[in-house]
Amino acid sequence: MPRPHKTRAPVHYRVEMPDLHTHLYQVTLTVPEPEALQRLTLPAWIPGSYLIREFAKNLQDLQARQGRRALDVVQTGKSSWEVACKPGQPLQLAYTVYANDASVRTAWLDASRGFFNGTSLCLRAEGHAQGPHALEIRAPKARSAWSVATGLTALQVNPQGFGTYLAADYDELADCPIELGAFWSGTFKACGVPHRFVVAGATPSFDGARLLADAQKICETAIRFWHGTRKPPHKQYVFMLNAVDDSYGGLEHRNSTALICGRRDLPRLGEPKSSDGYTTLLGLISHEYFHTWNVKRLRPAEFARYDYSQENYTRLLWFFEGFTSYYDDLLLRRAGLIDDATYLKLLAKATNQVLQTPGRRVQTVAQASFDAWVKYYRQDENTPNATVSYYTKGSLVALCLDLTLRHEGKTTLDDVMRALWKRCAGGPMTEADLRAELASLAGRSLDHELDQWVHGTAELPIADLLAAHGVALQPEAPQLAQRLGLRVTENHRVQIKTVLRGGPAEKAGMAAGDEWLGLDVKGQGWRIQRLEDVAFYAGPAQQVTAVVARDGRLLQMPLALPAVAPATSKPAGQRGRKAAAATPDTIRLTASDSAALARWLA
Ligand SMILES: [Zn+2]
């Protein structure tokens, strides 16, 4: 039974790193006033990444004591324990956590760097979660160059940041990851708010000043988007970027974000032009920073209070991830960090991703949101045929709403976002709130559009809406893999990852997992090593025999090769929906009316 909250001394965690290369954090948790039967749990997931990860798998050697008396720890579930305690005496728990995941979602520790989320390291003392939590981080021996970066409030720390931090409750502790190491660090102010940017793993060619200047522009553009000249809800913000050989991702938090990128994506000294990789990194920075408002504060009503022990379902990820994806690149354009042509290239890429996903006819973005736990985060060979991304299609829903509102001339999606923020006081919201604000600002209901685009699988009217805003959408010749209806990996051999619904490869009988060895063209056999070899050896032939290996057998399959010309209609067999028949697989976008385009992108 929950007992009434009273002011208590903080729950206290001491984190030590006695032996860095074992990947083990040593944690000592003190609960000053434990319950008679003190329950302890570790989260099964981390907010922002919708998959049950069962962080308890990395927790080991859990021991409990009161004073000098060792207590029994009874495990009651995969992530829960109980300890019978004497009242009025602090309970101390000691355990270690194995930290060998370089992603932003769990924890990492080795001789070069440390990183952790509270969800991986901090047992939750049930009955105390609403009260204050102190986190003491002890500096590892023989690492005098290491520092700490975190969004937590420092209580008593040394110049490197080692010492004690304070969180108002368990949620805040869990929402403030910690970066440890000899990282690069810089600061800037955005609209008066102090921001810190730390980068682990940077090379000597890294242009830190450039990154700071560009991040500052992004942050100022985002703050002005939401608040004009008024103050944002966060008093400080920390970017924690880990640059590695090859990876990409980010996780949003209330006043920080953990990012990971390839080292080659960092801006380089003496390189005036942005590389595509750096533009992608700026998009990631913009995306996670926009989440400071859209999902960390304005958030699904179902996330009003997280249940860390199980899936927290919402049908609104198309709004929180999709609309954030619409604004991430748009704010780069508004911040002057990319030009119109680059913006249209990024928009065409997102559009093509959706058009090349047969699953958009099977699943709505509201369903995709609810199913994130078992589908988006657990992708397999069937994913493109059965699901649609609430990120990419959600961003196109935002685009269609924005352009519809702008075309009608009464309001814009920007105004709707700000009105929603006010209506929900920067807190939990429902789809009904969005519908109400749309109707109120647009002067008419947009229920029909949302029913079609969010709760239906009809094609989005992108071409017409873009044309009204100075952008021409033209079909483009699809890539060979797309023409064949395949996703493959190529490593001196062609391995089939996915066979797309309704395409020539499916009709031929190919299956995910097949190795495509070669083809027979008019009685001549050819070995292929990359997909492009199919076009090379087939030449003008429209009918060939594909040779594939499956489960140790060689199979021969008659394959009809599609024409090279731009596909202006879907391959036959895609359920013959009339609206879809006119939609090409692959498009490009070009500016047709720069004044109209400027009115939208400005
Ligand atoms: Zn996101």
Side-chain angles (χ1 to χ4, degrees):
M1 186 187 286
R3 62 188 208 193
H5 177 70
K6 55 178 183 181
T7 312
R8 291 163 160 166
V11 170
H12 183 278
Y13 302 83
R14 190 175 71 230
V15 174
E16 294 166 285
M17 296 156 265
D19 205 353
L20 297 170
H21 63 257
T22 60
H23 310 290
L24 291 174
Y25 285 101
Q26 205 169 79
V27 185
T28 309
L29 162 59
T30 305
V31 185
E33 295 173 57
E35 318 285 316
L37 189 62
Q38 180 62 54
R39 222 174 144 247
L40 301 144
T41 58
L42 196 67
W45 66 288
I46 181 166
S49 185
Y50 307 104
L51 177 69
I52 297 298
R53 296 181 190 275
E54 292 162 336
F55 302 119
K57 77 193 273 276
N58 294 317
L59 187 146
Q60 58 195 59
D61 198 17
L62 175 59
Q63 294 179 24
R65 57 193 317 120
Q66 275 186 305
R68 288 170 15 170
R69 193 166 67 97
L71 304 176
D72 285 339
V73 179
V74 178
Q75 186 158 12
T76 54
K78 62 187 177 184
S79 305
S80 56
W81 298 262
E82 277 175 2
V83 184
C85 299
K86 257 197 200 157
Q89 207 184 354
L91 166 67
Q92 199 170 73
L93 295 131
Y95 53 96
T96 52
V97 174
Y98 180 66
N100 194 26
D101 173 9
S103 85
V104 294
R105 305 158 186 139
T106 51
W108 171 267
L109 184 64
D110 73 356
S112 70
R113 173 182 172 259
F115 172 82
F116 66 87
N117 288 286
T119 42
S120 279
L121 250 66
C122 298
L123 279 173
R124 191 171 188 267
E126 298 297 329
H128 301 258
Q130 313 309 321
H133 286 61
L135 177 68
E136 178 190 353
I137 308 168
R138 294 239 174 125
K141 289 202 179 76
R143 285 291 181 279
S144 57
W146 279 32
S147 302
V148 180
T150 177
L152 282 171
T153 304
L155 190 65
Q156 192 174 19
V157 301
N158 72 10
Q160 272 91 31
F162 287 100
T164 303
Y165 293 84
L166 196 63
D169 51 24
Y170 185 85
D171 281 345
E172 184 182 351
L173 179 72
D175 201 22
C176 295
I178 317 283
E179 174 75 24
L180 304 156
F183 43 69
W184 180 94
S185 176
T187 60
F188 60 86
K189 279 193 174 178
C191 304
V193 177
H195 287 61
R196 184 181 190 194
F197 210 124
V198 306
V199 183
T203 61
S205 65
F206 166 54
D207 186 349
R210 171 91 187 273
L211 182 66
L212 290 182
D214 291 348
Q216 182 185 31
K217 284 182 193 155
I218 291 169
C219 297
E220 287 179 341
T221 306
I223 293 171
R224 290 199 191 106
F225 172 93
W226 287 99
H227 305 288
T229 54
R230 293 186 318 279
K231 287 263 174 224
H234 48 293
K235 293 194 172 56
Q236 50 156 339
Y237 193 93
V238 186
F239 291 94
M240 289 165 266
L241 172 61
N242 184 24
V244 298
D245 190 47
D246 181 25
S247 189
Y248 175 80
L251 194 58
E252 66 276 8
H253 299 283
R254 64 183 65 186
N255 69 344
S256 65
T257 180
L259 310 168
I260 189 161
C261 76
R263 289 192 184 94
R264 286 169 181 79
D265 297 341
L266 292 174
R268 293 179 213 182
L269 291 166
E271 186 184 64
K273 215 175 150 290
S274 293
S275 67
D276 285 353
Y278 182 49
T279 300
T280 305
L281 173 60
L282 292 177
L284 178 67
I285 289 167
S286 178
H287 181 97
E288 303 305 347
Y289 197 70
F290 199 81
H291 273 318
T292 309
W293 293 267
N294 200 39
V295 93
K296 292 313 303 186
R297 288 179 175 79
L298 192 64
R299 61 190 186 276
E302 297 86 354
F303 292 0
R305 194 159 282 290
Y306 297 122
D307 179 348
Y308 295 101
S309 71
Q310 59 181 336
E311 292 86 349
N312 287 203
Y313 298 106
T314 172
R315 288 183 174 79
L316 281 176
L317 294 181
W318 57 271
F319 178 83
F320 291 100
E321 288 301 348
F323 283 40
T324 299
S325 297
Y326 174 59
Y327 279 109
D328 58 21
D329 289 337
L330 191 55
L331 293 198
L332 290 190
R333 177 69 198 94
R334 290 187 189 163
L337 293 168
I338 55 174
D339 58 18
D340 286 353
T342 305
Y343 179 74
L344 292 181
K345 226 168 88 182
L346 295 169
L347 182 57
K349 194 175 159 197
T351 307
N352 284 329
Q353 272 174 21
V354 174
L355 290 175
Q356 295 174 3
T357 302
R360 77 185 190 284
R361 296 204 177 89
V362 176
Q363 193 188 44
T364 70
V365 281
Q367 291 169 333
S369 302
F370 198 89
D371 257 345
W373 301 84
V374 291
K375 292 193 174 168
Y376 186 82
Y377 277 90
R378 284 162 69 180
Q379 304 204 359
D380 60 22
E381 73 286 350
N382 191 42
T383 295
N385 289 327
T387 73
V388 68
S389 164
Y390 49 79
Y391 283 87
T392 36
K393 189 178 169 189
S395 77
L396 299 185
V397 170
L399 170 82
C400 288
L401 270 180
D402 195 16
L403 297 187
T404 300
L405 299 174
R406 285 171 185 270
H407 190 61
E408 293 177 11
K410 292 214 172 71
T411 188
T412 68
L413 191 59
D414 301 0
D415 292 331
V416 172
M417 297 299 286
R418 289 187 281 261
L420 261 176
W421 175 264
K422 269 200 194 133
R423 176 190 182 89
C424 304
M429 69 163 261
T430 64
E431 189 175 327
D433 289 317
L434 172 64
R435 286 178 183 244
E437 280 310 330
L438 280 167
S440 144
L441 291 177
R444 72 167 180 95
S445 159
L446 279 107
D447 287 353
H448 177 71
E449 284 83 352
L450 286 182
D451 291 346
Q452 295 265 310
W453 303 343
V454 172
H455 299 280
T457 56
E459 297 291 344
L460 301 173
I462 293 171
D464 290 347
L465 285 169
L466 284 174
H469 291 84
V471 180
L473 180 150
Q474 287 137 343
E476 196 170 57
Q479 302 282 312
L480 181 61
Q482 184 58 29
R483 292 211 311 275
L484 290 166
L486 282 177
R487 301 276 181 272
V488 301
T489 54
E490 294 172 304
N491 186 14
H492 300 294
R493 44 194 255 167
V494 179
Q495 204 75 42
I496 298 178
K497 270 169 57 192
T498 285
V499 176
L500 294 177
R501 187 69 66 238
E506 187 187 66
K507 285 198 187 65
M510 291 182 176
D514 289 351
E515 184 187 353
W516 192 348
L517 298 171
L519 65 163
D520 194 295
V521 186
K522 296 186 174 137
Q524 286 194 324
W526 300 98
R527 175 81 165 98
I528 64 165
Q529 290 189 304
R530 56 194 75 80
L531 201 61
E532 213 38 58
D533 288 347
V534 173
F536 177 64
Y537 291 123
Q542 292 186 340
Q543 191 67 45
V544 299
T545 301
V547 181
V548 310
R550 180 188 302 167
D551 186 33
R553 294 166 192 264
L554 291 182
L555 305 176
Q556 305 215 346
M557 301 172 176
L559 172 69
L561 291 176
V564 185
T568 49
S569 62
K570 300 295 280 184
Q574 293 206 343
R575 302 185 197 183
R577 290 198 189 179
K578 285 199 181 71
T583 313
D585 280 330
T586 308
I587 57 103
R588 81 189 129 90
L589 300 174
T590 47
S592 56
D593 176 347
S594 51
L597 184 57
R599 278 195 297 278
W600 163 32
L601 295 181

mmCIF file of all heavy atoms in Angstrom, residues 48 50 250-252 284 287-288 291 294-295 317 320-322 324-325 328 377 390-391, ligand 1:
data_model
loop_
_atom_site.group_PDB
_atom_site.id
_atom_site.type_symbol
_atom_site.label_atom_id
_atom_site.label_comp_id
_atom_site.label_asym_id
_atom_site.label_seq_id
_atom_site.Cartn_x
_atom_site.Cartn_y
_atom_site.Cartn_z
ATOM 1 N N GLY A 48 11.577 6.643 -24.957
ATOM 2 C CA GLY A 48 12.122 7.135 -26.224
ATOM 3 C C GLY A 48 12.537 6.012 -27.147
ATOM 4 O O GLY A 48 12.692 6.208 -28.345
ATOM 5 N N TYR A 50 11.225 2.234 -27.913
ATOM 6 C CA TYR A 50 10.056 1.457 -27.507
ATOM 7 C C TYR A 50 10.248 -0.037 -27.734
ATOM 8 O O TYR A 50 9.690 -0.626 -28.645
ATOM 9 C CB TYR A 50 8.812 2.023 -28.198
ATOM 10 C CG TYR A 50 8.712 3.513 -27.943
ATOM 11 C CD1 TYR A 50 9.048 4.447 -28.913
ATOM 12 C CD2 TYR A 50 8.376 3.982 -26.668
ATOM 13 C CE1 TYR A 50 9.010 5.810 -28.644
ATOM 14 C CE2 TYR A 50 8.338 5.338 -26.386
ATOM 15 C CZ TYR A 50 8.652 6.250 -27.380
ATOM 16 O OH TYR A 50 8.630 7.591 -27.103
ATOM 17 N N GLY A 250 20.259 8.471 -31.832
ATOM 18 C CA GLY A 250 20.155 9.453 -30.766
ATOM 19 C C GLY A 250 18.995 9.104 -29.869
ATOM 20 O O GLY A 250 18.098 8.350 -30.256
ATOM 21 N N LEU A 251 19.043 9.617 -28.648
ATOM 22 C CA LEU A 251 17.923 9.432 -27.733
ATOM 23 C C LEU A 251 17.699 10.748 -27.004
ATOM 24 O O LEU A 251 18.648 11.359 -26.495
ATOM 25 C CB LEU A 251 18.226 8.298 -26.748
ATOM 26 C CG LEU A 251 17.027 7.777 -25.950
ATOM 27 C CD1 LEU A 251 15.914 7.283 -26.857
ATOM 28 C CD2 LEU A 251 17.454 6.636 -25.031
ATOM 29 N N GLU A 252 16.424 11.173 -26.989
ATOM 30 C CA GLU A 252 16.071 12.478 -26.441
ATOM 31 C C GLU A 252 15.845 12.389 -24.937
ATOM 32 O O GLU A 252 15.339 11.380 -24.454
ATOM 33 C CB GLU A 252 14.797 12.993 -27.126
ATOM 34 C CG GLU A 252 13.526 12.174 -26.852
ATOM 35 C CD GLU A 252 13.356 10.961 -27.765
ATOM 36 O OE1 GLU A 252 14.294 10.649 -28.511
ATOM 37 O OE2 GLU A 252 12.277 10.323 -27.711
ATOM 38 N N LEU A 284 20.104 15.219 -37.087
ATOM 39 C CA LEU A 284 19.935 14.444 -35.845
ATOM 40 C C LEU A 284 19.921 15.376 -34.629
ATOM 41 O O LEU A 284 19.082 15.242 -33.726
ATOM 42 C CB LEU A 284 21.079 13.425 -35.727
ATOM 43 C CG LEU A 284 21.104 12.552 -34.473
ATOM 44 C CD1 LEU A 284 19.914 11.600 -34.453
ATOM 45 C CD2 LEU A 284 22.412 11.747 -34.409
ATOM 46 N N HIS A 287 16.660 17.138 -34.625
ATOM 47 C CA HIS A 287 15.585 16.201 -34.260
ATOM 48 C C HIS A 287 15.509 16.024 -32.743
ATOM 49 O O HIS A 287 14.454 16.208 -32.131
ATOM 50 C CB HIS A 287 15.839 14.857 -34.948
ATOM 51 C CG HIS A 287 14.793 13.822 -34.678
ATOM 52 N ND1 HIS A 287 13.753 13.569 -35.542
ATOM 53 C CD2 HIS A 287 14.623 12.973 -33.641
ATOM 54 C CE1 HIS A 287 12.985 12.619 -35.046
ATOM 55 N NE2 HIS A 287 13.491 12.230 -33.883
ATOM 56 N N GLU A 288 16.636 15.675 -32.135
ATOM 57 C CA GLU A 288 16.621 15.400 -30.695
ATOM 58 C C GLU A 288 16.316 16.662 -29.901
ATOM 59 O O GLU A 288 15.661 16.610 -28.868
ATOM 60 C CB GLU A 288 17.945 14.773 -30.248
ATOM 61 C CG GLU A 288 18.346 13.483 -30.980
ATOM 62 C CD GLU A 288 17.302 12.374 -30.945
ATOM 63 O OE1 GLU A 288 16.344 12.468 -30.163
ATOM 64 O OE2 GLU A 288 17.423 11.412 -31.732
ATOM 65 N N HIS A 291 12.657 17.397 -29.771
ATOM 66 C CA HIS A 291 11.994 16.518 -28.807
ATOM 67 C C HIS A 291 11.958 17.116 -27.392
ATOM 68 O O HIS A 291 11.157 16.686 -26.564
ATOM 69 C CB HIS A 291 12.729 15.184 -28.712
ATOM 70 C CG HIS A 291 12.298 14.148 -29.706
ATOM 71 N ND1 HIS A 291 10.984 13.925 -30.021
ATOM 72 C CD2 HIS A 291 13.016 13.237 -30.416
ATOM 73 C CE1 HIS A 291 10.921 12.919 -30.896
ATOM 74 N NE2 HIS A 291 12.124 12.491 -31.159
ATOM 75 N N ASN A 294 8.628 18.364 -28.018
ATOM 76 C CA ASN A 294 7.662 17.424 -28.600
ATOM 77 C C ASN A 294 8.007 15.977 -28.252
ATOM 78 O O ASN A 294 8.669 15.306 -29.012
ATOM 79 C CB ASN A 294 7.622 17.608 -30.124
ATOM 80 C CG ASN A 294 6.354 17.061 -30.725
ATOM 81 O OD1 ASN A 294 5.276 17.209 -30.132
ATOM 82 N ND2 ASN A 294 6.459 16.441 -31.889
ATOM 83 N N VAL A 295 7.591 15.523 -27.121
ATOM 84 C CA VAL A 295 7.584 14.159 -26.569
ATOM 85 C C VAL A 295 8.144 14.130 -25.153
ATOM 86 O O VAL A 295 7.733 13.330 -24.348
ATOM 87 C CB VAL A 295 8.298 13.079 -27.412
ATOM 88 C CG1 VAL A 295 9.758 12.841 -27.039
ATOM 89 C CG2 VAL A 295 7.544 11.733 -27.299
ATOM 90 N N LEU A 317 2.759 7.960 -31.939
ATOM 91 C CA LEU A 317 4.171 8.173 -32.304
ATOM 92 C C LEU A 317 4.308 8.844 -33.670
ATOM 93 O O LEU A 317 5.299 9.519 -33.934
ATOM 94 C CB LEU A 317 4.958 6.859 -32.254
ATOM 95 C CG LEU A 317 5.104 6.264 -30.844
ATOM 96 C CD1 LEU A 317 5.911 4.979 -30.885
ATOM 97 C CD2 LEU A 317 5.747 7.255 -29.887
ATOM 98 N N PHE A 320 4.536 12.372 -32.512
ATOM 99 C CA PHE A 320 5.732 12.767 -31.753
ATOM 100 C C PHE A 320 7.031 12.487 -32.510
ATOM 101 O O PHE A 320 7.960 13.281 -32.449
ATOM 102 C CB PHE A 320 5.700 12.123 -30.369
ATOM 103 C CG PHE A 320 4.618 12.717 -29.527
ATOM 104 C CD1 PHE A 320 3.409 12.082 -29.354
ATOM 105 C CD2 PHE A 320 4.795 13.970 -28.969
ATOM 106 C CE1 PHE A 320 2.392 12.665 -28.612
ATOM 107 C CE2 PHE A 320 3.789 14.568 -28.227
ATOM 108 C CZ PHE A 320 2.578 13.911 -28.044
ATOM 109 N N GLU A 321 7.111 11.378 -33.227
ATOM 110 C CA GLU A 321 8.310 11.122 -34.027
ATOM 111 C C GLU A 321 8.178 11.690 -35.446
ATOM 112 O O GLU A 321 9.140 12.230 -35.990
ATOM 113 C CB GLU A 321 8.606 9.622 -34.081
ATOM 114 C CG GLU A 321 9.133 9.049 -32.768
ATOM 115 C CD GLU A 321 10.417 9.699 -32.283
ATOM 116 O OE1 GLU A 321 11.064 10.444 -33.048
ATOM 117 O OE2 GLU A 321 10.767 9.482 -31.105
ATOM 118 N N GLY A 322 6.977 11.548 -36.020
ATOM 119 C CA GLY A 322 6.785 12.007 -37.396
ATOM 120 C C GLY A 322 6.863 13.521 -37.521
ATOM 121 O O GLY A 322 7.569 14.048 -38.384
ATOM 122 N N THR A 324 8.219 15.581 -35.425
ATOM 123 C CA THR A 324 9.594 15.974 -35.099
ATOM 124 C C THR A 324 10.497 15.762 -36.315
ATOM 125 O O THR A 324 11.384 16.576 -36.595
ATOM 126 C CB THR A 324 10.089 15.170 -33.882
ATOM 127 O OG1 THR A 324 9.231 15.480 -32.769
ATOM 128 C CG2 THR A 324 11.522 15.515 -33.512
ATOM 129 N N SER A 325 10.248 14.682 -37.072
ATOM 130 C CA SER A 325 11.045 14.433 -38.283
ATOM 131 C C SER A 325 10.749 15.469 -39.368
ATOM 132 O O SER A 325 11.629 15.817 -40.152
ATOM 133 C CB SER A 325 10.759 13.034 -38.826
ATOM 134 O OG SER A 325 11.152 12.063 -37.882
ATOM 135 N N ASP A 328 12.695 18.617 -38.129
ATOM 136 C CA ASP A 328 14.157 18.609 -37.953
ATOM 137 C C ASP A 328 14.867 19.237 -39.160
ATOM 138 O O ASP A 328 15.675 20.156 -39.018
ATOM 139 C CB ASP A 328 14.698 17.209 -37.562
ATOM 140 C CG ASP A 328 14.400 16.084 -38.528
ATOM 141 O OD1 ASP A 328 14.116 16.352 -39.713
ATOM 142 O OD2 ASP A 328 14.454 14.910 -38.090
ATOM 143 N N TYR A 377 10.692 -1.781 -33.727
ATOM 144 C CA TYR A 377 11.949 -2.077 -33.027
ATOM 145 C C TYR A 377 12.385 -3.535 -33.176
ATOM 146 O O TYR A 377 13.390 -3.935 -32.581
ATOM 147 C CB TYR A 377 11.839 -1.698 -31.545
ATOM 148 C CG TYR A 377 12.119 -0.223 -31.339
ATOM 149 C CD1 TYR A 377 11.105 0.714 -31.380
ATOM 150 C CD2 TYR A 377 13.421 0.240 -31.164
ATOM 151 C CE1 TYR A 377 11.361 2.064 -31.226
ATOM 152 C CE2 TYR A 377 13.690 1.586 -31.011
ATOM 153 C CZ TYR A 377 12.655 2.490 -31.044
ATOM 154 O OH TYR A 377 12.926 3.830 -30.897
ATOM 155 N N TYR A 390 6.415 5.119 -38.715
ATOM 156 C CA TYR A 390 5.723 6.303 -38.200
ATOM 157 C C TYR A 390 6.627 7.523 -38.236
ATOM 158 O O TYR A 390 6.154 8.647 -38.127
ATOM 159 C CB TYR A 390 5.146 6.070 -36.795
ATOM 160 C CG TYR A 390 6.118 5.471 -35.799
ATOM 161 C CD1 TYR A 390 7.075 6.249 -35.170
ATOM 162 C CD2 TYR A 390 6.076 4.122 -35.490
ATOM 163 C CE1 TYR A 390 7.953 5.707 -34.260
ATOM 164 C CE2 TYR A 390 6.957 3.559 -34.572
ATOM 165 C CZ TYR A 390 7.897 4.356 -33.963
ATOM 166 O OH TYR A 390 8.778 3.812 -33.057
ATOM 167 N N TYR A 391 7.927 7.327 -38.397
ATOM 168 C CA TYR A 391 8.835 8.465 -38.601
ATOM 169 C C TYR A 391 8.611 9.080 -39.992
ATOM 170 O O TYR A 391 8.266 10.254 -40.110
ATOM 171 C CB TYR A 391 10.300 8.021 -38.526
ATOM 172 C CG TYR A 391 10.837 7.771 -37.152
ATOM 173 C CD1 TYR A 391 10.692 6.538 -36.542
ATOM 174 C CD2 TYR A 391 11.535 8.763 -36.470
ATOM 175 C CE1 TYR A 391 11.211 6.299 -35.284
ATOM 176 C CE2 TYR A 391 12.067 8.539 -35.214
ATOM 177 C CZ TYR A 391 11.901 7.297 -34.620
ATOM 178 O OH TYR A 391 12.412 7.067 -33.381
HETATM 179 ZN ZN ZN B 1 12.821 10.992 -32.411
#
